[in-house]
Amino acid sequence: CSLCCRISRAITILLSCAILGINIVEPSNEELPLPSKPGMYQLDIVLKKGNNLAIRDRGGTSDPYVKFKIAGKEVFRSKTIHKNLNPVWDEKVSLLVESLREPLYVKVFDYDFGLQDDFMGSAYLYLESLEHQRTLDVTLDLKDPHYPNHDLGSLELAVTLIPKEGDFREATMLMRRSWKRSSKVITCVYGGVCVCVTLQHQSLRLSDVHRKAQLWRGIVSISLIEAHDLQPMDANGLSDPYVKFRMGHQKYKSKTIPKTLNPQWREQFDFHLYDEQGGFIDITIWDKDAGKKDDFMGRCQVDLSLLSKECTHRLDLPLEEVEGSLVLLVTLTASAAVSISDLSVNILDDLHERKEILHRYSLLRSFHNIKDVGMVQVKVIRAEGLMAADVTGKSDPFCVVELSNDRLQTHTVYKNLNPEWNKVFTFNAKDIHSVLEVTVYDEDRDRSADFLGKVAIPLLNIQNGERKAYALKSKELTGPTKGVIFLEIDVIYNIVKAGLRTLIPIEQKYIEEEPRVSKQLLLQNFNRVRRCIMFLINAGCYINSCFEWESPQRSICAFLLFVVVVWNFELYMFPLVLLMLLAWNYFLIASGKDTRQGDVVTVEDLLEDEEEDFDRDDKDSERKGFMNKLYAIQDVCISVQNALDEVASYGERIKNTLNWTVPFLSWLAIVALCAATLVVYFIPLRYIVLAWGVNKFTKKLRDPYSIDNNELLDFLSRVPSDIQVVCIPYNIHPYCWLPQDCNS
């Protein structure tokens, strides 16, 4: 019977090969590697408990959690068990494994909020030694590679290895969909029968293997509201509380509310949810102490698996072992569909799939699912000439692709400056104005990755299907760095949905670097504002020159144009003028007279000059003291200070006019406003503007020595600002504004 079963399985393979057009060949005399296992396995692991784990906290305990890694990639992370050296997890995970040669690497860490987690031991589980279709109880002794003689306790697991033999039909269907014309001789072992076949290249869709480690499953939106009845930590019977949140590797720290036991934060932030079953959010409250270590005030935890999605939950969480509670609003939102696959599994290369996608985003379906604007497919092919980040002169590069809040990454190519990834990333385009960011990092185990280069590509600038080499830039995208990356990008979207989405507020990125004080950035922003102001000043000077009759021809043309426009002005002419301006600029660009390049070159020169000045100042500052660094930005600070003072002063003067700080000026404003109301009521606005313009144009002709002025600004210059009110008290009562009244 056993022999009959094996023969029937072999016949099944031969028939399947005949259906798919696979050629059966005689095995050659050369020795072919005979795999001893099938090519796909399901590894079911139950993490039971730990025994006598290492002590890592001052209290003689630890807060252990476990990581599983295969081929250097993290595939599972357990929940954290607080203050326990014999934790019980009872967590189950199912993994798809392509090869049994890579062992399962198990690492245990002690969770330390706000600090680097402490290592508690590691062990290897060699998959080749496991029996198939049988659950085995495994005890792993934890060791530290640097101190192999130390006993760090053990972990108890239940492991089941299941070969995916029953999925042959599904695999052949995947082969048919991802067909490519390249022949290859392979050897199959199926049910104990060895068959050597030549088949056209198949590529199994193995993206699901990596999804748990790379894709966001959703967004956890958290609003930190308030806390009640916290424990006093200071001598005055109060505290200065702030809150720390942690979910996996994601962290958030709230602001500090001074001197209270019932703080109100009203802060909102977001975490990314990687696990479909949810996860745990660890929350700790601390008392801020200047000059010494902050005091611990309490802890609580949120189990996301108990919360329903697409719904806001108000949670009143009591603190563990101490008095007090914390109030949160938590919302779980599903993320957009994203995927990653090998280059051979490309949906846009399939004519049927491409036709379906084009139909989905056609004009006929413009009002079907308005939020589904389009899709973006990015082929990350390879990179060349990357920067060497390791002491060996090599790097371990991997690539991260980001579109708004969706983030995917490739595998790592070790010890290579010219890596080939050949991966396809698929995103939902929620906003056609988004910018695709592709960043290359160098992987450093147990440390944060090193930056190697970055490119940013607006979706509207992409030419579909064009394979292009992009030069990598610095992290701020202001200058080049070493290396290029080869990408092929396709963007398919509905133009009507994209236009409607433009009128909706832009989606904010959930993970951004915190802003830092930077002399270079301050100087850059100051120069940008100065360029805009100088443009307005130059435009004002040009208009004022028409009033001054510096060029009679220009002034006569301006006067005639002013009279014609004001006399014939209608409201529809305003958008018409803007339309004509856009059409004129389009005509210039189409005729090859693109004025934008001058602005781009100006900004590039500005950035280069600032970068050179910044580098030079940095080199000088290494030789100079701290005071010289302050003097280096003194001019910028003074200019910003004066500009802020002028803007604030005019705002305060308007306010002080209305609140009777100087009654004489307020009464004068009343008289002027009453006169203006009567004039505007009885005289059409067109005549008023015409009279004002004729007066401005003829003023120099009537009185060549007159000084140009602005009556409104001259009036406001007499009104004191708040600073002047403090220094010079204006305490006259509104009705006592005449001199004789004041004397009486």
Side-chain angles (χ1 to χ4, degrees), residues 525-535 606:
N525 292 338
F526 175 75
N527 287 331
R528 289 168 58 203
V529 174
R530 185 172 63 182
R531 287 177 65 238
C532 296
I533 294 175
M534 289 305 299
F535 173 79
L606 184 66

mmCIF file of all heavy atoms in Angstrom, residues 525-535 606:
data_model
loop_
_atom_site.group_PDB
_atom_site.id
_atom_site.type_symbol
_atom_site.label_atom_id
_atom_site.label_comp_id
_atom_site.label_asym_id
_atom_site.label_seq_id
_atom_site.Cartn_x
_atom_site.Cartn_y
_atom_site.Cartn_z
ATOM 1 N N ASN A 525 15.516 80.006 6.691
ATOM 2 C CA ASN A 525 14.139 80.521 6.736
ATOM 3 C C ASN A 525 14.110 82.044 6.731
ATOM 4 O O ASN A 525 13.223 82.657 6.129
ATOM 5 C CB ASN A 525 13.425 79.978 7.970
ATOM 6 C CG ASN A 525 13.178 78.487 7.885
ATOM 7 O OD1 ASN A 525 13.157 77.920 6.796
ATOM 8 N ND2 ASN A 525 13.010 77.842 9.020
ATOM 9 N N PHE A 526 15.072 82.637 7.416
ATOM 10 C CA PHE A 526 15.140 84.099 7.418
ATOM 11 C C PHE A 526 15.378 84.634 6.000
ATOM 12 O O PHE A 526 14.744 85.606 5.574
ATOM 13 C CB PHE A 526 16.258 84.561 8.353
ATOM 14 C CG PHE A 526 16.487 86.051 8.328
ATOM 15 C CD1 PHE A 526 15.607 86.906 8.953
ATOM 16 C CD2 PHE A 526 17.587 86.581 7.670
ATOM 17 C CE1 PHE A 526 15.814 88.272 8.923
ATOM 18 C CE2 PHE A 526 17.793 87.944 7.637
ATOM 19 C CZ PHE A 526 16.914 88.800 8.268
ATOM 20 N N ASN A 527 16.272 84.003 5.263
ATOM 21 C CA ASN A 527 16.545 84.449 3.891
ATOM 22 C C ASN A 527 15.347 84.224 2.976
ATOM 23 O O ASN A 527 15.100 85.012 2.059
ATOM 24 C CB ASN A 527 17.771 83.722 3.344
ATOM 25 C CG ASN A 527 19.065 84.217 3.973
ATOM 26 O OD1 ASN A 527 19.157 85.378 4.372
ATOM 27 N ND2 ASN A 527 20.049 83.344 4.080
ATOM 28 N N ARG A 528 14.601 83.153 3.222
ATOM 29 C CA ARG A 528 13.402 82.920 2.409
ATOM 30 C C ARG A 528 12.365 84.021 2.636
ATOM 31 O O ARG A 528 11.771 84.544 1.686
ATOM 32 C CB ARG A 528 12.809 81.558 2.760
ATOM 33 C CG ARG A 528 13.639 80.376 2.283
ATOM 34 C CD ARG A 528 13.163 79.088 2.917
ATOM 35 N NE ARG A 528 11.761 78.841 2.622
ATOM 36 C CZ ARG A 528 10.974 78.069 3.365
ATOM 37 N NH1 ARG A 528 11.468 77.488 4.450
ATOM 38 N NH2 ARG A 528 9.715 77.866 3.027
ATOM 39 N N VAL A 529 12.149 84.365 3.917
ATOM 40 C CA VAL A 529 11.195 85.435 4.215
ATOM 41 C C VAL A 529 11.692 86.755 3.640
ATOM 42 O O VAL A 529 10.909 87.554 3.091
ATOM 43 C CB VAL A 529 10.979 85.537 5.736
ATOM 44 C CG1 VAL A 529 10.121 86.733 6.087
ATOM 45 C CG2 VAL A 529 10.344 84.260 6.266
ATOM 46 N N ARG A 530 12.990 87.004 3.734
ATOM 47 C CA ARG A 530 13.541 88.253 3.213
ATOM 48 C C ARG A 530 13.362 88.352 1.699
ATOM 49 O O ARG A 530 13.053 89.430 1.183
ATOM 50 C CB ARG A 530 15.024 88.355 3.577
ATOM 51 C CG ARG A 530 15.662 89.695 3.187
ATOM 52 C CD ARG A 530 17.058 89.801 3.731
ATOM 53 N NE ARG A 530 17.923 88.778 3.162
ATOM 54 C CZ ARG A 530 19.209 88.616 3.488
ATOM 55 N NH1 ARG A 530 19.740 89.406 4.403
ATOM 56 N NH2 ARG A 530 19.924 87.660 2.927
ATOM 57 N N ARG A 531 13.520 87.218 1.000
ATOM 58 C CA ARG A 531 13.315 87.240 -0.453
ATOM 59 C C ARG A 531 11.868 87.597 -0.793
ATOM 60 O O ARG A 531 11.616 88.377 -1.721
ATOM 61 C CB ARG A 531 13.668 85.876 -1.058
ATOM 62 C CG ARG A 531 15.157 85.591 -1.115
ATOM 63 C CD ARG A 531 15.446 84.213 -1.655
ATOM 64 N NE ARG A 531 15.015 84.114 -3.043
ATOM 65 C CZ ARG A 531 14.149 83.229 -3.501
ATOM 66 N NH1 ARG A 531 13.587 82.369 -2.670
ATOM 67 N NH2 ARG A 531 13.835 83.198 -4.777
ATOM 68 N N CYS A 532 10.909 87.021 -0.054
ATOM 69 C CA CYS A 532 9.499 87.353 -0.306
ATOM 70 C C CYS A 532 9.210 88.813 -0.001
ATOM 71 O O CYS A 532 8.513 89.501 -0.761
ATOM 72 C CB CYS A 532 8.595 86.448 0.536
ATOM 73 S SG CYS A 532 8.708 84.697 0.130
ATOM 74 N N ILE A 533 9.763 89.305 1.118
ATOM 75 C CA ILE A 533 9.522 90.701 1.480
ATOM 76 C C ILE A 533 10.159 91.637 0.464
ATOM 77 O O ILE A 533 9.578 92.665 0.082
ATOM 78 C CB ILE A 533 10.042 90.969 2.907
ATOM 79 C CG1 ILE A 533 9.213 90.171 3.926
ATOM 80 C CG2 ILE A 533 10.001 92.458 3.232
ATOM 81 C CD1 ILE A 533 9.719 90.270 5.342
ATOM 82 N N MET A 534 11.364 91.291 0.004
ATOM 83 C CA MET A 534 12.035 92.143 -0.981
ATOM 84 C C MET A 534 11.254 92.188 -2.287
ATOM 85 O O MET A 534 11.210 93.223 -2.962
ATOM 86 C CB MET A 534 13.453 91.631 -1.228
ATOM 87 C CG MET A 534 14.410 91.851 -0.061
ATOM 88 S SD MET A 534 14.515 93.587 0.458
ATOM 89 C CE MET A 534 15.132 94.343 -1.037
ATOM 90 N N PHE A 535 10.616 91.071 -2.642
ATOM 91 C CA PHE A 535 9.787 91.076 -3.844
ATOM 92 C C PHE A 535 8.622 92.049 -3.688
ATOM 93 O O PHE A 535 8.316 92.834 -4.595
ATOM 94 C CB PHE A 535 9.271 89.666 -4.132
ATOM 95 C CG PHE A 535 8.281 89.602 -5.261
ATOM 96 C CD1 PHE A 535 8.698 89.629 -6.579
ATOM 97 C CD2 PHE A 535 6.910 89.531 -5.005
ATOM 98 C CE1 PHE A 535 7.786 89.580 -7.628
ATOM 99 C CE2 PHE A 535 5.989 89.476 -6.036
ATOM 100 C CZ PHE A 535 6.436 89.499 -7.352
ATOM 101 N N LEU A 606 21.549 79.642 -2.993
ATOM 102 C CA LEU A 606 21.355 80.081 -1.613
ATOM 103 C C LEU A 606 21.647 78.954 -0.631
ATOM 104 O O LEU A 606 22.344 79.141 0.365
ATOM 105 C CB LEU A 606 19.933 80.591 -1.436
ATOM 106 C CG LEU A 606 19.562 81.186 -0.075
ATOM 107 C CD1 LEU A 606 20.357 82.465 0.168
ATOM 108 C CD2 LEU A 606 18.068 81.473 -0.009
#
